[in-house]
Amino acid sequence: MGGAPSVTMRVAVVGGGWAGLSAAVTAVGLGHDVRLFESAAVLGGRARSVHAPALETDIDNGQHILLGAYTATLALMRDLGLDPARRFVRLPLSVRSADGTLDLRAPPGLPAPLHVAAGLLAARGLSWKEKLSALRAMTVLRRSGWKTPRGATVQEWLSLTLQPPRLRALLWAPLCIATLNTPVEQACAQLFAHVLRDSLGASRRGVSDMLIPRTTLSELWPARVEELARSGAFGQGPHGASSAAAALEIHRSTTIRRLRYTGTGPSMREETGGEGGLCAGMPAGAQRLVLDDRPEAYDAVLLCGNTPSTSRLLATLPAQPGGDAFLDDLRAFEHAPIATLTLELERSFVLPSPMLLLHEDRHRGHFGQWLFQGQDAGRRLLHVVVSDADALLQWERSSAVAGMVEQLREQLRGHAMPAVLQHALIVEKRATFLAVPDLRRPGNRTPWPGVWVAGDWTDTGYPAVLEGAVRSGRDAARAMHASFSGASLGS
């Protein structure tokens, strides 16, 4: 690095979801003094644990699975001293329905991608025509480099690849709604292709494995970040040596409503601790950022909330060239809800697989799409997931719950589900953005000096999945660091 001094910046991260936590951990790892502000009482954003009084326990606000391809999340967990093997149930790729009408499992022993082809050919519940149609679609995608026609929806792609109607309903539509939270007639085919690339089309076997958390989402790794921040461990170098100013301070239940610039000059410090070690290329008196009326000023701010909150904060800053177009892009995002029904059963009940596909019938109130085994030691909790849950929200709550309980009893054939004692229904109204074609998703840099954005809605190449959030937060922190460290080297 040409002997240039290491510069520590004061950085604010607004938002304590997976993107914000990833950004904060990355920034402090690069040697910066970081403060994270989260409006909720619990870290994790749309992937967090909440207390359910009716169940007298903590449950997740939604069920999430990860893939072996989610390298950024797994690397982050290891950097935090966590062993993913202990935190996840790792399953070979499979799609099994609760009623037994579909059973697709990648057989052991075969290398990728042959394991998926063999699983499709051996799948129970699909005709030979349907199996060959699915294989043909995957082959066409692979040969095209996982590219789909520009602007195509998933429904249009299914028509182009001549997928039979029953196969669409039984396999493709459930996979689309589960991964994109967007109906096939609206969903972006290119994003769906990226999902298929990392699952059914994985080039290495372990990459397509499904990872189901053994713990609540807060315990999975966000709680570890808070633990390390509280103990001051982030201020330790890789060999236990103290780093002069690197630290992470977390403020929960703190809503930030306004940003403003102040011309008091940068706070950047050299690693020796001297104040005012300015980066070359950063003019004396360069503007810093203040959050609301807080007394401290920041050299950089990383906004890691959803698009509505991010656009509201950016709109409080002075106009910048390109700023109106940036805000218009954020305001163009639409969102869809996800509902999760947690049932407490009278006694222990073990599902034939930790995750099962459910068949919808919305006219009967059968809204459930996936069924998960709970993480409780007593095996008495079940979680029913409803993506694209607008239709469910039109029902009276008790009727919707009764309909989904009826759905489970009908579809868990041969498995007598015990009586339901209690339940909790959680709805995330803005769970994910609608993943439609030609949606303009921004990068991490904004037109406003010193301000970066991160979230699963940025241009990650993924739909609104947790891996996208982690990658976006990491990349935003790296871009922020490179912007300032590059200036210090005169680059």
Side-chain angles (χ1 to χ4, degrees):
M1 302 292 286
S6 177
V7 175
T8 295
M9 294 187 295
R10 183 171 292 157
V11 178
V13 175
V14 180
W18 282 38
L21 290 170
S22 174
V25 171
T26 302
V28 77
L30 291 168
H32 302 300
D33 179 18
V34 181
R35 288 177 175 84
L36 183 145
F37 301 92
E38 165 56 38
S39 61
V42 179
L43 299 178
R46 69 178 182 89
R48 69 186 186 279
S49 307
V50 297
H51 186 70
L55 305 177
E56 298 182 344
T57 189
D58 290 343
I59 59 174
D60 293 332
N61 66 335
Q63 295 298 300
H64 297 269
I65 65 168
L66 288 81
L67 295 175
Y70 289 179
T71 54
T73 303
L74 298 176
L76 175 59
M77 292 177 67
R78 294 187 186 100
D79 288 344
L80 294 170
L82 302 173
D83 182 4
R86 294 177 176 271
R87 299 266 160 169
F88 293 104
V89 176
R90 192 176 191 111
L91 298 175
L93 184 67
S94 65
V95 181
R96 300 175 62 184
S97 64
D99 64 0
T101 56
L102 178 63
D103 191 345
L104 190 165
R105 306 186 216 183
L110 288 177
L114 294 178
H115 68 310
V116 172
L120 274 169
L121 292 175
R124 288 189 297 166
L126 298 178
S127 69
W128 277 105
K129 178 183 178 180
E130 291 164 340
K131 294 175 183 180
L132 294 175
S133 294
L135 281 175
R136 182 173 60 249
M138 292 300 298
T139 301
V140 169
L141 265 183
R142 184 183 298 277
R143 289 177 177 173
S144 70
W146 304 99
K147 300 292 185 183
T148 62
R150 183 179 178 84
T153 65
V154 172
Q155 182 165 275
E156 289 167 342
W157 174 75
L158 294 173
S159 296
L160 287 171
T161 55
L162 305 177
Q163 300 300 289
R166 182 174 176 274
L167 180 63
R168 299 186 193 193
L170 200 58
L171 179 65
W172 296 125
L175 289 179
C176 176
I177 202 71
T179 55
L180 275 65
N181 195 29
T182 307
V184 292
E185 60 270 17
Q186 294 178 269
C188 174
Q190 187 57 66
L191 284 179
F192 190 52
H194 290 170
V195 172
L196 296 177
R197 176 195 62 202
D198 289 345
S199 54
L200 297 179
S203 57
R204 289 184 293 114
R205 172 128 196 167
V207 168
S208 64
D209 286 351
M210 301 185 301
L211 309 179
I212 301 177
R214 296 178 186 270
T215 68
T216 63
L217 291 170
S218 291
E219 294 171 323
L220 188 61
W221 68 267
R224 177 65 170 168
V225 176
E226 193 159 24
E227 175 190 341
L228 293 174
R230 192 164 44 243
S231 68
F234 282 120
Q236 300 296 313
H239 303 292
S242 178
S243 180
L248 173 58
E249 189 177 292
I250 295 175
H251 300 264
R252 291 181 284 120
S253 302
T254 304
T255 301
I256 303 301
R257 294 183 170 84
R258 181 167 58 96
L259 303 178
R260 62 183 174 87
Y261 287 108
T262 179
T264 57
S267 69
M268 291 178 279
R269 303 180 290 279
E270 296 185 10
E271 194 70 31
T272 57
E275 294 289 337
L278 303 187
C279 291
M282 288 293 293
Q287 289 184 319
R288 295 164 64 210
L289 287 141
V290 174
L291 282 57
D292 291 334
D293 295 318
R294 302 183 68 86
E296 69 275 7
Y298 296 91
D299 305 302
V301 173
L302 278 64
L303 300 180
C304 303
N306 58 21
T307 53
S309 64
T310 299
S311 63
R312 282 195 298 269
L313 281 171
L314 289 174
T316 65
L317 288 169
Q320 293 290 331
D324 286 344
F326 194 93
L327 291 175
D328 286 344
D329 287 344
L330 295 192
R331 291 163 181 159
F333 280 74
E334 296 181 86
H335 297 80
I338 296 178
T340 303
L341 172 65
T342 298
L343 303 175
E344 181 187 9
L345 305 180
E346 185 178 41
R347 62 179 186 276
S348 176
F349 182 63
V350 179
L351 296 175
S353 177
M355 182 183 79
L356 294 170
L357 172 68
L358 297 171
H359 302 303
E360 288 183 87
D361 187 346
R362 296 187 174 192
H363 295 294
R364 299 180 61 198
H366 292 190
F367 294 104
Q369 295 152 354
W370 296 91
L371 175 64
F372 289 84
Q373 186 83 56
Q375 303 102 335
D376 60 305
R379 298 295 195 180
R380 294 174 56 197
L381 296 182
L382 297 179
H383 307 290
V384 181
V385 176
V386 184
S387 297
D388 183 31
D390 281 319
L392 179 147
L393 298 181
Q394 306 306 312
W395 280 53
E396 192 272 327
R397 180 169 288 230
S398 62
S399 298
V401 171
M404 287 185 279
V405 171
E406 178 187 74
Q407 178 186 15
L408 296 189
R409 295 199 182 283
E410 285 187 11
Q411 296 188 25
L412 285 168
R413 297 176 181 174
H415 304 276
M417 189 177 80
V420 176
L421 297 181
Q422 298 287 348
H423 72 271
L425 180 62
I426 297 175
V427 179
E428 288 286 326
K429 292 186 177 180
R430 286 177 171 167
T432 71
F433 64 87
L434 281 175
V436 297
D438 299 325
L439 182 65
R440 292 172 60 89
R441 298 169 65 182
N444 298 118
R445 185 179 293 274
T446 78
W448 289 269
V451 182
W452 283 260
V453 295
D456 58 18
W457 47 269
T458 60
D459 190 11
T460 65
Y462 282 103
V465 295
L466 296 177
E467 173 73 359
V470 171
R471 291 190 182 201
S472 182
R474 176 201 65 189
D475 292 348
R478 288 178 177 176
M480 175 270 299
H481 175 79
S483 175
F484 285 94
S485 63
S488 71
L489 299 176
S491 56

